Amino acid sequence: MIYAYLVFVVLVALFSIVILFGAPYLPTLGPQRKAALDLLDLKEGQVLFEPGCGDGRVLAEAARRGITAVGVELNPLMALVAFIVTFRYRKNVKIIWGNFWTKQWPEADGVFLFLMDRFMDRFDNKMRETQKKPTKVASFAYKIAKKKPLREKNGVFLYRYE
């Protein structure tokens, strides 16, 4: 019984601590994955970055389209799930376990984002610091306060950083 309790406590801790850095794990549903990738309109060989990649389904969908995808996930269990989900696309997908705020961000053509409101200004600043080329951002559910969305589809907002 003590082991079950310990496992429960560890799982709650792993899934709760990520709220301090971005957002809780919630799977991105098919319509939102499709909307995000359609809005980003990335071509084969371009790079998609997903900070807080969760279960890796967005990355897998991007890889199916021929897009190179990089995801960073803080929760080690979800990073493992993302690795398993994207394994068949391992030539096009890289999963990094860690805190995306402290990891090196790749030069990306597009970013898929699901962050809570309180982190959007920090994300906006990080994008301005790290992205040296024009980059599109598809943000699910939350808007970037300092920017006006170019388009919206199924609750996904499209932005462009120059």
Side-chain angles (χ1 to χ4, degrees), residues 18-77:
V18 296
I19 295 171
L20 300 173
F21 299 96
Y25 166 71
L26 293 171
T28 304
L29 302 176
Q32 284 74 34
R33 286 194 307 266
K34 182 178 180 347
L37 292 172
D38 289 350
L39 286 170
L40 289 170
D41 191 30
L42 299 178
K43 305 300 181 214
E44 191 170 323
Q46 288 188 300
V47 177
L48 172 73
F49 174 53
E50 185 179 7
C53 67
D55 61 17
R57 291 177 195 221
V58 172
L59 302 175
E61 180 64 32
R64 275 193 284 281
R65 295 181 181 207
I67 300 165
T68 300
V70 178
V72 178
E73 178 55 46
L74 179 62
N75 181 332
L77 293 176

Side-chain angles (χ1 to χ4, degrees), residues 31 57 125 129 157:
R57 291 177 195 221
N125 292 334
E129 288 172 14
F157 303 95

Side-chain angles (χ1 to χ4, degrees), residues 61 83 86 123 132:
E61 180 64 32
F83 178 79
T86 62
F123 170 81
K132 305 301 181 211

